[in-house]
Amino acid sequence: MTSLRAMHPVAAALRHPSLAGGSAIMLLVLGLALLSFVWTPYPVDAISAAERLQTPSAAHWLGTDQFGRDVLSRIMVGARNSIAVGVVAVSIGLFAGVALGTWAAARGGWADELVMRTSDVVFAFPAIISALLITAFLGPGAVNAIVAIGIFNIPVFARVTRGAAQQVWGLEYTRAGMAIGKGPTRITIDHVLPNIAPVLIVQATIQFAVAILAEAALSYLGLGTQPPSPSWGRMLFDAQTLMALHPTLAIFPGVAIALAVLGLNLLGDGLRDVLDPRLRVWRMVT
Amino acid sequence: MLTYAVRRFSILLITLAAASLVIFVVLEVLPGDVALIILGDAVREDTLAALRVELGLDRPASTRYVDWIAGLLSGRSGLSHTYGVPVTDLVRDRLGITLPLALMAIAISTVLAVPLGMLAATHHNRWRDYGVMGFSQVGMAIPNFWFGILLVLLFAVTLRWFPSGGFPGWEAGLGAGLWALLLPALALGLPEAAILARVTRSSVLETLRADFVRTARAKGVAERAILFRHVLRNALIPMTTILGLQFAFLLAGSIVVENVFFLPGLGRLIFQAVTQRDLIVVRDVTILLVALVVTINFVVDLAYAVIDPRPKTLA
C-alpha cells in the first residue's frame, strides 16, 4: 500500500479522479487565459457588421455576437479577467484573514473575541450586498468588485485559520517551543503556518470558485468588469436580449463559468483528500 | 441553554448595531454630500439645498444616525427619492414577491436534495451514488442566473409554457403568481439542492455507521424503518443548519435572479436603488436584509442547540 502523501505529487494527482479532473480543467482554463495574452483567433474588440450573430462555424468556432465580435476570443480574454479577479480577491482574503486568524489564535482572549465578532459583522453582509454597498459608494468597476469580494473573503480565511491554528497551539511541540523561549510570532511562523497551510490551500481553491461566481454575477448586473473589456457575466447579460434569435450566445459564456467553477471545486475536493488526512475519504491507493 | 441563548442574542444585537454603523458610514458619511450624489452634478443650487434639508444633512451625522435607528425601531423609514413613498411601503410590496420566491426555492431544494442525498448514501460507492455526486458537482458549478437564462430559453422562448419574466401580481390569482415564480424558484433552488444533497448524503452516511443503527439492525428492525425512523431524524440536525444558512443565501441570490426574470422583488429594488443613487432605499433595504440574515442565523443556532443539546461555544 502506498499512501497518496508518500507519492510524487503528479503521480498522486493522476491517480485521484477529482484531482486529475480538476487539474485538467483548470490547466485548460488557465492555458486559454495565458494564450489570450499572445494570441486569440480574432482581435477581441474587432467589430464586423457583416459577420454579426453568426452561428458556430469553421471560421468562428463559437460564433459571433451582435457586433460581429468572435465569441471564442472574448471567452479567452474573459477567462483572463475572471482569473485575475479571483486571484486578487482571494489574495486579499488570504493575507488579511491569515494575519487576523493567527493573531486571534496566538493571543486568545479579547483579540480572539474581537476577530470573531468582527467576522460576524462582515458575514452579516452577503457578498452581493457588500458589493452593492461598495458600488453605491465608489461606483461600478472591476477593481471595486475585487475589493467587495476580497473583503468578504477576509472573515472566511480568518475563521478557518483561527480554528486550525488553535489546534496547532494545543499540540505538545508548540508548548515545547514556548518552553525553550520562542515567542508567539516565531511559533506562528515555525509551527503554525506550515501545519495549517494544507487547510488554507484547500480553502483558497474553494474561495477562488466562489470569487469567479461572484464576479460573474456582479458583471451580469453591470457592477463588475465594465465594457468593452470582456467578461463572462457581462456576455451573458448581453446575450439575454438576443437569445430568442441566437441562443448559443447565452450558452458558451455560461459553460465557461461552470467549467472553471467545476474545475476549482474538483481541485479543492482532491487537494483536501490528498493534503488533509483528517478529511480524506478516498484514503489509499495500492 | 438559557445562558447560551442570552449570549447569542446579545451578539446578534451587537452585530446589528455594528452593521448599521457600517451602512451609515459607507452611505452617508464617507461619500460627502449625499444630496449631490443623489441629484448628480447638473442640478440647481436651491434644489440641492432643499434636498439637504429634507435629508437632514444640516444636522450632525451622529444625530442623523440616532434618528435613523429610532425611526427603524418605531417602524418609520426614510422617503425614497425615486418613488416618493416611505421605504417601508416599498419593502412591504416587494417582500410579497421575494419571500414566497425564497420559500419556493427552499421547498424545491429540499424536495430534490433529501431523497437524492439518501439515495446516494444508501448506495454508497455505487453508480447511483456517483450519479448524485456528479449532479451535485455540476449543480454547484452552475451560476443561478445562468441557469435562470437557460430555463427561460427552454421553457419560455422555445416551449412557451411560462412567461419569460415579470410578475402579474397576486391580484391575478394565486395560481398565476406561483406560476410566474416557478422558473425563478427553480433557478435559485437547484444549485442550492446540489449543496444540500451533499450534506444529506454525508450526514446520512455518518448516521448509518452509528452504534444505535447497528443495534437496531441486530434487533431485526426493517431497513426502511431504520432509515426513516432513526437515520433521517438524526441526519436532520446538520441539514437544518444548512437549510437556515441557505435561506440567507437565497435572499441575497434573489438580487441576481430577480433581475434575470424582471421580478419586482426586494433584490431588484435594491439593485435599481443603487443604479438610481437612491441611497435612502439602499440604506434601509440593506439593514433589513442584514437583519434577516443575522436573525435567521440566530434562530438556526438556537434550533441547533435545542435539537443537539451538547454544550456549545460561540466560536
mmCIF file of all heavy atoms in Angstrom, chain A residues 113 117 121 124-126 128-129 137 162 217 220-221 236 240 243 250-251 254-255 257-258 262 269, chain B residues 7 18 23 30 137 141 143 145-146 149 152-153 198 252 255 259-260 271 286 289-290 294 314-315:
data_model
loop_
_atom_site.group_PDB
_atom_site.id
_atom_site.type_symbol
_atom_site.label_atom_id
_atom_site.label_comp_id
_atom_site.label_asym_id
_atom_site.label_seq_id
_atom_site.Cartn_x
_atom_site.Cartn_y
_atom_site.Cartn_z
ATOM 1 N N GLU A 113 -11.847 37.320 20.584
ATOM 2 C CA GLU A 113 -13.245 37.789 20.600
ATOM 3 C C GLU A 113 -13.446 38.888 19.550
ATOM 4 O O GLU A 113 -14.440 38.878 18.815
ATOM 5 C CB GLU A 113 -13.577 38.307 22.011
ATOM 6 C CG GLU A 113 -15.056 38.437 22.318
ATOM 7 C CD GLU A 113 -15.772 37.099 22.432
ATOM 8 O OE1 GLU A 113 -15.132 36.039 22.550
ATOM 9 O OE2 GLU A 113 -17.000 37.128 22.360
ATOM 10 N N ARG A 117 -16.010 38.446 16.446
ATOM 11 C CA ARG A 117 -17.211 39.285 16.388
ATOM 12 C C ARG A 117 -17.173 40.205 15.157
ATOM 13 O O ARG A 117 -18.209 40.486 14.558
ATOM 14 C CB ARG A 117 -17.377 40.111 17.668
ATOM 15 C CG ARG A 117 -17.499 39.296 18.963
ATOM 16 C CD ARG A 117 -18.768 38.457 19.060
ATOM 17 N NE ARG A 117 -18.774 37.222 18.283
ATOM 18 C CZ ARG A 117 -18.347 36.036 18.714
ATOM 19 N NH1 ARG A 117 -17.871 35.903 19.911
ATOM 20 N NH2 ARG A 117 -18.418 34.972 17.928
ATOM 21 N N VAL A 121 -19.900 40.482 11.898
ATOM 22 C CA VAL A 121 -20.467 41.678 11.251
ATOM 23 C C VAL A 121 -20.293 41.577 9.734
ATOM 24 O O VAL A 121 -21.232 41.827 8.972
ATOM 25 C CB VAL A 121 -19.805 42.974 11.787
ATOM 26 C CG1 VAL A 121 -20.347 44.199 11.057
ATOM 27 C CG2 VAL A 121 -20.042 43.102 13.275
ATOM 28 N N ALA A 124 -22.559 39.156 8.152
ATOM 29 C CA ALA A 124 -23.962 39.578 8.099
ATOM 30 C C ALA A 124 -24.301 40.196 6.744
ATOM 31 O O ALA A 124 -25.462 40.273 6.363
ATOM 32 C CB ALA A 124 -24.248 40.574 9.217
ATOM 33 N N PHE A 125 -23.241 40.638 6.008
ATOM 34 C CA PHE A 125 -23.458 41.191 4.673
ATOM 35 C C PHE A 125 -23.139 40.118 3.645
ATOM 36 O O PHE A 125 -21.962 39.839 3.426
ATOM 37 C CB PHE A 125 -22.521 42.381 4.419
ATOM 38 C CG PHE A 125 -22.778 43.578 5.280
ATOM 39 C CD1 PHE A 125 -22.227 43.681 6.542
ATOM 40 C CD2 PHE A 125 -23.572 44.613 4.816
ATOM 41 C CE1 PHE A 125 -22.459 44.798 7.334
ATOM 42 C CE2 PHE A 125 -23.813 45.724 5.601
ATOM 43 C CZ PHE A 125 -23.264 45.816 6.861
ATOM 44 N N PRO A 126 -24.144 39.507 3.007
ATOM 45 C CA PRO A 126 -23.810 38.570 1.937
ATOM 46 C C PRO A 126 -22.976 39.299 0.871
ATOM 47 O O PRO A 126 -23.138 40.523 0.704
ATOM 48 C CB PRO A 126 -25.182 38.182 1.379
ATOM 49 C CG PRO A 126 -26.136 38.431 2.493
ATOM 50 C CD PRO A 126 -25.589 39.602 3.237
ATOM 51 N N ILE A 128 -22.884 39.758 -2.228
ATOM 52 C CA ILE A 128 -23.510 40.601 -3.255
ATOM 53 C C ILE A 128 -24.003 41.912 -2.639
ATOM 54 O O ILE A 128 -23.958 42.962 -3.264
ATOM 55 C CB ILE A 128 -24.655 39.821 -3.952
ATOM 56 C CG1 ILE A 128 -25.061 40.501 -5.258
ATOM 57 C CG2 ILE A 128 -25.852 39.622 -3.076
ATOM 58 C CD1 ILE A 128 -24.418 39.925 -6.442
ATOM 59 N N ILE A 129 -24.414 41.863 -1.359
ATOM 60 C CA ILE A 129 -24.886 43.080 -0.684
ATOM 61 C C ILE A 129 -23.705 44.014 -0.426
ATOM 62 O O ILE A 129 -23.799 45.223 -0.652
ATOM 63 C CB ILE A 129 -25.561 42.739 0.673
ATOM 64 C CG1 ILE A 129 -26.663 41.703 0.500
ATOM 65 C CG2 ILE A 129 -26.062 43.990 1.375
ATOM 66 C CD1 ILE A 129 -27.997 42.225 0.171
ATOM 67 N N PHE A 137 -21.145 53.358 -3.190
ATOM 68 C CA PHE A 137 -20.205 54.336 -2.648
ATOM 69 C C PHE A 137 -19.145 54.736 -3.687
ATOM 70 O O PHE A 137 -18.889 55.917 -3.914
ATOM 71 C CB PHE A 137 -19.572 53.726 -1.382
ATOM 72 C CG PHE A 137 -18.392 54.453 -0.836
ATOM 73 C CD1 PHE A 137 -18.393 55.840 -0.728
ATOM 74 C CD2 PHE A 137 -17.281 53.757 -0.396
ATOM 75 C CE1 PHE A 137 -17.294 56.509 -0.209
ATOM 76 C CE2 PHE A 137 -16.191 54.416 0.121
ATOM 77 C CZ PHE A 137 -16.196 55.801 0.212
ATOM 78 N N ARG A 162 -7.965 30.633 12.237
ATOM 79 C CA ARG A 162 -8.039 30.641 13.696
ATOM 80 C C ARG A 162 -8.351 29.243 14.233
ATOM 81 O O ARG A 162 -7.709 28.760 15.162
ATOM 82 C CB ARG A 162 -9.097 31.647 14.127
ATOM 83 C CG ARG A 162 -9.351 31.664 15.612
ATOM 84 C CD ARG A 162 -10.830 31.671 15.822
ATOM 85 N NE ARG A 162 -11.193 31.721 17.203
ATOM 86 C CZ ARG A 162 -12.101 30.894 17.724
ATOM 87 N NH1 ARG A 162 -12.657 29.971 16.981
ATOM 88 N NH2 ARG A 162 -12.424 31.001 18.980
ATOM 89 N N ALA A 217 -21.580 37.189 -11.438
ATOM 90 C CA ALA A 217 -22.882 37.746 -11.048
ATOM 91 C C ALA A 217 -22.826 39.275 -11.049
ATOM 92 O O ALA A 217 -23.739 39.939 -11.554
ATOM 93 C CB ALA A 217 -23.283 37.228 -9.664
ATOM 94 N N TYR A 220 -22.699 40.515 -14.554
ATOM 95 C CA TYR A 220 -24.023 40.345 -15.160
ATOM 96 C C TYR A 220 -24.924 41.524 -14.779
ATOM 97 O O TYR A 220 -25.681 42.044 -15.586
ATOM 98 C CB TYR A 220 -24.645 39.014 -14.701
ATOM 99 C CG TYR A 220 -26.077 38.843 -15.135
ATOM 100 C CD1 TYR A 220 -26.393 38.428 -16.430
ATOM 101 C CD2 TYR A 220 -27.123 39.132 -14.269
ATOM 102 C CE1 TYR A 220 -27.708 38.310 -16.840
ATOM 103 C CE2 TYR A 220 -28.436 39.009 -14.668
ATOM 104 C CZ TYR A 220 -28.726 38.592 -15.949
ATOM 105 O OH TYR A 220 -30.037 38.491 -16.353
ATOM 106 N N LEU A 221 -24.807 41.952 -13.502
ATOM 107 C CA LEU A 221 -25.628 43.072 -13.027
ATOM 108 C C LEU A 221 -25.093 44.426 -13.496
ATOM 109 O O LEU A 221 -25.726 45.454 -13.282
ATOM 110 C CB LEU A 221 -25.685 43.072 -11.493
ATOM 111 C CG LEU A 221 -26.491 41.958 -10.831
ATOM 112 C CD1 LEU A 221 -26.312 41.995 -9.320
ATOM 113 C CD2 LEU A 221 -27.970 42.072 -11.179
ATOM 114 N N LEU A 236 -23.178 37.191 -20.776
ATOM 115 C CA LEU A 236 -24.490 36.568 -20.556
ATOM 116 C C LEU A 236 -25.584 37.629 -20.514
ATOM 117 O O LEU A 236 -26.689 37.417 -21.024
ATOM 118 C CB LEU A 236 -24.491 35.763 -19.256
ATOM 119 C CG LEU A 236 -23.808 34.405 -19.333
ATOM 120 C CD1 LEU A 236 -23.761 33.750 -17.961
ATOM 121 C CD2 LEU A 236 -24.546 33.489 -20.312
ATOM 122 N N GLN A 240 -28.795 37.861 -23.210
ATOM 123 C CA GLN A 240 -30.173 37.628 -22.766
ATOM 124 C C GLN A 240 -31.205 38.270 -23.704
ATOM 125 O O GLN A 240 -32.239 37.683 -23.997
ATOM 126 C CB GLN A 240 -30.362 38.154 -21.349
ATOM 127 C CG GLN A 240 -31.480 37.438 -20.627
ATOM 128 C CD GLN A 240 -31.643 37.896 -19.198
ATOM 129 O OE1 GLN A 240 -30.777 38.564 -18.650
ATOM 130 N NE2 GLN A 240 -32.757 37.537 -18.590
ATOM 131 N N MET A 243 -31.362 36.136 -27.030
ATOM 132 C CA MET A 243 -31.324 34.666 -27.013
ATOM 133 C C MET A 243 -32.447 34.019 -27.829
ATOM 134 O O MET A 243 -32.313 32.881 -28.245
ATOM 135 C CB MET A 243 -31.284 34.121 -25.595
ATOM 136 C CG MET A 243 -32.519 34.255 -24.809
ATOM 137 S SD MET A 243 -32.161 33.621 -23.166
ATOM 138 C CE MET A 243 -33.573 34.228 -22.307
ATOM 139 N N ALA A 250 -26.041 32.696 -25.330
ATOM 140 C CA ALA A 250 -26.338 32.561 -23.890
ATOM 141 C C ALA A 250 -25.774 31.271 -23.325
ATOM 142 O O ALA A 250 -25.938 30.999 -22.142
ATOM 143 C CB ALA A 250 -27.846 32.616 -23.671
ATOM 144 N N ILE A 251 -25.160 30.460 -24.162
ATOM 145 C CA ILE A 251 -24.704 29.150 -23.686
ATOM 146 C C ILE A 251 -23.202 29.140 -23.387
ATOM 147 O O ILE A 251 -22.780 28.767 -22.292
ATOM 148 C CB ILE A 251 -25.091 28.053 -24.703
ATOM 149 C CG1 ILE A 251 -26.620 27.973 -24.701
ATOM 150 C CG2 ILE A 251 -24.460 26.705 -24.351
ATOM 151 C CD1 ILE A 251 -27.238 26.921 -25.510
ATOM 152 N N GLY A 254 -21.725 30.827 -20.211
ATOM 153 C CA GLY A 254 -22.179 30.092 -19.022
ATOM 154 C C GLY A 254 -21.409 28.800 -18.847
ATOM 155 O O GLY A 254 -21.023 28.439 -17.722
ATOM 156 N N VAL A 255 -21.148 28.114 -19.980
ATOM 157 C CA VAL A 255 -20.357 26.871 -19.912
ATOM 158 C C VAL A 255 -18.958 27.189 -19.386
ATOM 159 O O VAL A 255 -18.409 26.451 -18.563
ATOM 160 C CB VAL A 255 -20.281 26.196 -21.315
ATOM 161 C CG1 VAL A 255 -19.291 25.048 -21.312
ATOM 162 C CG2 VAL A 255 -21.655 25.702 -21.743
ATOM 163 N N ILE A 257 -18.062 29.624 -17.336
ATOM 164 C CA ILE A 257 -18.112 29.865 -15.882
ATOM 165 C C ILE A 257 -18.244 28.525 -15.152
ATOM 166 O O ILE A 257 -17.500 28.240 -14.208
ATOM 167 C CB ILE A 257 -19.322 30.760 -15.496
ATOM 168 C CG1 ILE A 257 -19.239 32.118 -16.181
ATOM 169 C CG2 ILE A 257 -19.397 30.952 -13.978
ATOM 170 C CD1 ILE A 257 -20.529 32.941 -16.074
ATOM 171 N N ALA A 258 -19.211 27.709 -15.603
ATOM 172 C CA ALA A 258 -19.480 26.438 -14.926
ATOM 173 C C ALA A 258 -18.242 25.538 -14.951
ATOM 174 O O ALA A 258 -17.922 24.875 -13.961
ATOM 175 C CB ALA A 258 -20.670 25.745 -15.569
ATOM 176 N N LEU A 262 -16.394 24.275 -11.749
ATOM 177 C CA LEU A 262 -16.334 22.821 -11.578
ATOM 178 C C LEU A 262 -14.883 22.374 -11.392
ATOM 179 O O LEU A 262 -14.576 21.575 -10.485
ATOM 180 C CB LEU A 262 -16.950 22.128 -12.804
ATOM 181 C CG LEU A 262 -16.944 20.608 -12.793
ATOM 182 C CD1 LEU A 262 -17.917 20.072 -11.736
ATOM 183 C CD2 LEU A 262 -17.344 20.039 -14.165
ATOM 184 N N ASP A 269 -11.710 19.531 -3.753
ATOM 185 C CA ASP A 269 -12.040 18.225 -3.168
ATOM 186 C C ASP A 269 -10.819 17.310 -3.175
ATOM 187 O O ASP A 269 -10.499 16.647 -2.189
ATOM 188 C CB ASP A 269 -13.168 17.549 -3.969
ATOM 189 C CG ASP A 269 -14.536 18.096 -3.574
ATOM 190 O OD1 ASP A 269 -14.576 18.973 -2.689
ATOM 191 O OD2 ASP A 269 -15.544 17.656 -4.161
ATOM 192 N N ARG B 7 -26.510 34.979 25.536
ATOM 193 C CA ARG B 7 -25.225 35.435 24.995
ATOM 194 C C ARG B 7 -25.321 35.573 23.470
ATOM 195 O O ARG B 7 -24.857 36.554 22.887
ATOM 196 C CB ARG B 7 -24.158 34.406 25.397
ATOM 197 C CG ARG B 7 -22.796 34.725 24.925
ATOM 198 C CD ARG B 7 -21.727 34.850 25.973
ATOM 199 N NE ARG B 7 -20.629 35.600 25.392
ATOM 200 C CZ ARG B 7 -19.507 35.036 24.968
ATOM 201 N NH1 ARG B 7 -19.305 33.768 25.161
ATOM 202 N NH2 ARG B 7 -18.570 35.768 24.413
ATOM 203 N N ALA B 18 -23.358 47.168 14.931
ATOM 204 C CA ALA B 18 -22.126 47.423 14.173
ATOM 205 C C ALA B 18 -22.426 47.501 12.679
ATOM 206 O O ALA B 18 -21.907 48.381 11.973
ATOM 207 C CB ALA B 18 -21.106 46.323 14.455
ATOM 208 N N ILE B 23 -23.141 50.565 7.550
ATOM 209 C CA ILE B 23 -24.006 51.006 6.449
ATOM 210 C C ILE B 23 -24.113 52.538 6.451
ATOM 211 O O ILE B 23 -23.981 53.193 5.417
ATOM 212 C CB ILE B 23 -25.414 50.368 6.584
ATOM 213 C CG1 ILE B 23 -25.318 48.867 6.364
ATOM 214 C CG2 ILE B 23 -26.391 50.979 5.581
ATOM 215 C CD1 ILE B 23 -26.568 48.102 6.766
ATOM 216 N N LEU B 30 -18.987 58.733 4.397
ATOM 217 C CA LEU B 30 -17.829 58.689 3.502
ATOM 218 C C LEU B 30 -18.053 59.395 2.158
ATOM 219 O O LEU B 30 -17.144 60.048 1.652
ATOM 220 C CB LEU B 30 -17.398 57.229 3.266
ATOM 221 C CG LEU B 30 -16.760 56.507 4.464
ATOM 222 C CD1 LEU B 30 -16.350 55.099 4.073
ATOM 223 C CD2 LEU B 30 -15.538 57.258 4.971
ATOM 224 N N GLN B 137 -21.916 18.087 -8.106
ATOM 225 C CA GLN B 137 -20.758 18.874 -8.562
ATOM 226 C C GLN B 137 -21.168 19.846 -9.666
ATOM 227 O O GLN B 137 -20.791 21.023 -9.650
ATOM 228 C CB GLN B 137 -19.646 17.947 -9.091
ATOM 229 C CG GLN B 137 -18.796 17.296 -8.027
ATOM 230 C CD GLN B 137 -17.863 18.281 -7.326
ATOM 231 O OE1 GLN B 137 -17.899 19.478 -7.568
ATOM 232 N NE2 GLN B 137 -17.041 17.780 -6.420
ATOM 233 N N ALA B 141 -21.592 24.126 -9.665
ATOM 234 C CA ALA B 141 -20.765 24.930 -10.571
ATOM 235 C C ALA B 141 -21.606 25.877 -11.431
ATOM 236 O O ALA B 141 -21.082 26.836 -11.993
ATOM 237 C CB ALA B 141 -19.934 24.016 -11.468
ATOM 238 N N PRO B 143 -23.906 28.851 -12.225
ATOM 239 C CA PRO B 143 -24.398 30.066 -11.559
ATOM 240 C C PRO B 143 -25.924 30.135 -11.684
ATOM 241 O O PRO B 143 -26.469 29.800 -12.741
ATOM 242 C CB PRO B 143 -23.759 31.200 -12.360
ATOM 243 C CG PRO B 143 -22.903 30.593 -13.390
ATOM 244 C CD PRO B 143 -23.142 29.126 -13.445
ATOM 245 N N PHE B 145 -27.939 32.564 -12.031
ATOM 246 C CA PHE B 145 -28.504 33.451 -13.051
ATOM 247 C C PHE B 145 -28.382 32.839 -14.452
ATOM 248 O O PHE B 145 -29.256 33.019 -15.302
ATOM 249 C CB PHE B 145 -27.876 34.852 -12.986
ATOM 250 C CG PHE B 145 -26.414 34.903 -13.282
ATOM 251 C CD1 PHE B 145 -25.963 35.183 -14.550
ATOM 252 C CD2 PHE B 145 -25.482 34.700 -12.285
ATOM 253 C CE1 PHE B 145 -24.615 35.250 -14.831
ATOM 254 C CE2 PHE B 145 -24.129 34.762 -12.552
ATOM 255 C CZ PHE B 145 -23.686 35.030 -13.830
ATOM 256 N N TRP B 146 -27.306 32.057 -14.692
ATOM 257 C CA TRP B 146 -27.180 31.398 -15.992
ATOM 258 C C TRP B 146 -28.223 30.285 -16.105
ATOM 259 O O TRP B 146 -28.850 30.123 -17.153
ATOM 260 C CB TRP B 146 -25.777 30.809 -16.189
ATOM 261 C CG TRP B 146 -25.600 30.143 -17.535
ATOM 262 C CD1 TRP B 146 -25.928 30.666 -18.748
ATOM 263 C CD2 TRP B 146 -25.090 28.833 -17.793
ATOM 264 N NE1 TRP B 146 -25.637 29.758 -19.749
ATOM 265 C CE2 TRP B 146 -25.118 28.630 -19.185
ATOM 266 C CE3 TRP B 146 -24.596 27.814 -16.975
ATOM 267 C CZ2 TRP B 146 -24.679 27.442 -19.779
ATOM 268 C CZ3 TRP B 146 -24.143 26.645 -17.581
ATOM 269 C CH2 TRP B 146 -24.188 26.464 -18.954
ATOM 270 N N ILE B 149 -31.347 31.841 -17.079
ATOM 271 C CA ILE B 149 -31.384 32.179 -18.511
ATOM 272 C C ILE B 149 -31.691 30.929 -19.340
ATOM 273 O O ILE B 149 -32.499 30.962 -20.279
ATOM 274 C CB ILE B 149 -30.027 32.809 -18.946
ATOM 275 C CG1 ILE B 149 -29.864 34.186 -18.307
ATOM 276 C CG2 ILE B 149 -29.933 32.912 -20.462
ATOM 277 C CD1 ILE B 149 -28.490 34.821 -18.504
ATOM 278 N N VAL B 152 -35.345 30.076 -19.075
ATOM 279 C CA VAL B 152 -36.144 30.974 -19.926
ATOM 280 C C VAL B 152 -36.044 30.521 -21.381
ATOM 281 O O VAL B 152 -37.052 30.442 -22.107
ATOM 282 C CB VAL B 152 -35.662 32.438 -19.774
ATOM 283 C CG1 VAL B 152 -36.300 33.331 -20.834
ATOM 284 C CG2 VAL B 152 -35.974 32.959 -18.390
ATOM 285 N N LEU B 153 -34.802 30.200 -21.786
ATOM 286 C CA LEU B 153 -34.571 29.774 -23.167
ATOM 287 C C LEU B 153 -35.407 28.537 -23.512
ATOM 288 O O LEU B 153 -36.060 28.476 -24.562
ATOM 289 C CB LEU B 153 -33.075 29.465 -23.341
ATOM 290 C CG LEU B 153 -32.551 29.275 -24.759
ATOM 291 C CD1 LEU B 153 -32.795 30.512 -25.585
ATOM 292 C CD2 LEU B 153 -31.054 28.970 -24.710
ATOM 293 N N ARG B 198 -25.412 16.962 -1.007
ATOM 294 C CA ARG B 198 -24.103 16.533 -0.480
ATOM 295 C C ARG B 198 -24.124 16.425 1.034
ATOM 296 O O ARG B 198 -23.622 15.464 1.618
ATOM 297 C CB ARG B 198 -23.029 17.549 -0.883
ATOM 298 C CG ARG B 198 -22.274 17.178 -2.140
ATOM 299 C CD ARG B 198 -21.457 18.351 -2.559
ATOM 300 N NE ARG B 198 -20.098 18.296 -2.005
ATOM 301 C CZ ARG B 198 -19.046 17.902 -2.712
ATOM 302 N NH1 ARG B 198 -19.174 17.519 -3.951
ATOM 303 N NH2 ARG B 198 -17.845 17.893 -2.179
ATOM 304 N N ALA B 252 -30.085 36.785 -0.701
ATOM 305 C CA ALA B 252 -29.056 37.530 -1.427
ATOM 306 C C ALA B 252 -29.071 37.132 -2.913
ATOM 307 O O ALA B 252 -28.966 37.991 -3.789
ATOM 308 C CB ALA B 252 -27.689 37.257 -0.827
ATOM 309 N N ILE B 255 -31.306 38.796 -5.570
ATOM 310 C CA ILE B 255 -30.952 40.071 -6.216
ATOM 311 C C ILE B 255 -30.618 39.829 -7.686
ATOM 312 O O ILE B 255 -31.075 40.556 -8.563
ATOM 313 C CB ILE B 255 -29.745 40.728 -5.497
ATOM 314 C CG1 ILE B 255 -30.166 41.139 -4.095
ATOM 315 C CG2 ILE B 255 -29.223 41.923 -6.282
ATOM 316 C CD1 ILE B 255 -29.033 41.662 -3.237
ATOM 317 N N ASN B 259 -33.397 39.923 -11.275
ATOM 318 C CA ASN B 259 -33.038 40.716 -12.451
ATOM 319 C C ASN B 259 -33.121 39.905 -13.736
ATOM 320 O O ASN B 259 -33.431 40.450 -14.790
ATOM 321 C CB ASN B 259 -31.639 41.314 -12.280
ATOM 322 C CG ASN B 259 -31.688 42.604 -11.507
ATOM 323 O OD1 ASN B 259 -32.087 43.636 -12.039
ATOM 324 N ND2 ASN B 259 -31.362 42.554 -10.235
ATOM 325 N N VAL B 260 -32.821 38.600 -13.651
ATOM 326 C CA VAL B 260 -32.944 37.743 -14.839
ATOM 327 C C VAL B 260 -34.402 37.686 -15.278
ATOM 328 O O VAL B 260 -34.721 37.762 -16.468
ATOM 329 C CB VAL B 260 -32.435 36.312 -14.534
ATOM 330 C CG1 VAL B 260 -32.670 35.390 -15.721
ATOM 331 C CG2 VAL B 260 -30.968 36.331 -14.145
ATOM 332 N N PHE B 271 -31.163 46.790 -6.194
ATOM 333 C CA PHE B 271 -30.294 46.944 -7.352
ATOM 334 C C PHE B 271 -30.635 48.241 -8.099
ATOM 335 O O PHE B 271 -29.752 49.027 -8.445
ATOM 336 C CB PHE B 271 -30.442 45.733 -8.279
ATOM 337 C CG PHE B 271 -29.768 45.916 -9.601
ATOM 338 C CD1 PHE B 271 -28.381 45.931 -9.689
ATOM 339 C CD2 PHE B 271 -30.510 46.096 -10.765
ATOM 340 C CE1 PHE B 271 -27.755 46.121 -10.907
ATOM 341 C CE2 PHE B 271 -29.890 46.287 -11.984
ATOM 342 C CZ PHE B 271 -28.506 46.297 -12.060
ATOM 343 N N THR B 286 -30.752 47.498 2.830
ATOM 344 C CA THR B 286 -29.554 46.757 3.253
ATOM 345 C C THR B 286 -29.658 46.345 4.716
ATOM 346 O O THR B 286 -29.403 45.184 5.052
ATOM 347 C CB THR B 286 -28.277 47.607 3.040
ATOM 348 O OG1 THR B 286 -28.231 48.027 1.701
ATOM 349 C CG2 THR B 286 -27.032 46.810 3.347
ATOM 350 N N LEU B 289 -32.069 43.465 5.021
ATOM 351 C CA LEU B 289 -31.517 42.179 4.581
ATOM 352 C C LEU B 289 -30.498 41.645 5.593
ATOM 353 O O LEU B 289 -30.493 40.455 5.916
ATOM 354 C CB LEU B 289 -30.864 42.316 3.201
ATOM 355 C CG LEU B 289 -31.847 42.452 2.027
ATOM 356 C CD1 LEU B 289 -31.108 42.780 0.734
ATOM 357 C CD2 LEU B 289 -32.643 41.169 1.829
ATOM 358 N N VAL B 290 -29.664 42.557 6.100
ATOM 359 C CA VAL B 290 -28.676 42.150 7.107
ATOM 360 C C VAL B 290 -29.390 41.624 8.356
ATOM 361 O O VAL B 290 -29.015 40.585 8.914
ATOM 362 C CB VAL B 290 -27.738 43.336 7.447
ATOM 363 C CG1 VAL B 290 -26.939 43.059 8.708
ATOM 364 C CG2 VAL B 290 -26.802 43.616 6.291
ATOM 365 N N VAL B 294 -28.950 37.887 9.922
ATOM 366 C CA VAL B 294 -28.479 37.706 11.301
ATOM 367 C C VAL B 294 -29.535 36.976 12.133
ATOM 368 O O VAL B 294 -29.224 36.075 12.928
ATOM 369 C CB VAL B 294 -28.140 39.088 11.921
ATOM 370 C CG1 VAL B 294 -27.800 38.957 13.386
ATOM 371 C CG2 VAL B 294 -26.964 39.712 11.200
ATOM 372 N N LEU B 314 -19.339 29.770 21.295
ATOM 373 C CA LEU B 314 -19.799 30.791 20.354
ATOM 374 C C LEU B 314 -18.866 30.970 19.185
ATOM 375 O O LEU B 314 -19.058 31.796 18.339
ATOM 376 C CB LEU B 314 -19.988 32.113 21.091
ATOM 377 C CG LEU B 314 -21.205 32.080 21.999
ATOM 378 C CD1 LEU B 314 -21.083 33.118 23.075
ATOM 379 C CD2 LEU B 314 -22.482 32.269 21.210
ATOM 380 N N ALA B 315 -17.777 30.202 19.136
ATOM 381 C CA ALA B 315 -16.861 30.302 18.012
ATOM 382 C C ALA B 315 -17.485 29.712 16.803
ATOM 383 O O ALA B 315 -17.683 30.119 15.833
ATOM 384 C CB ALA B 315 -15.607 29.541 18.305
#
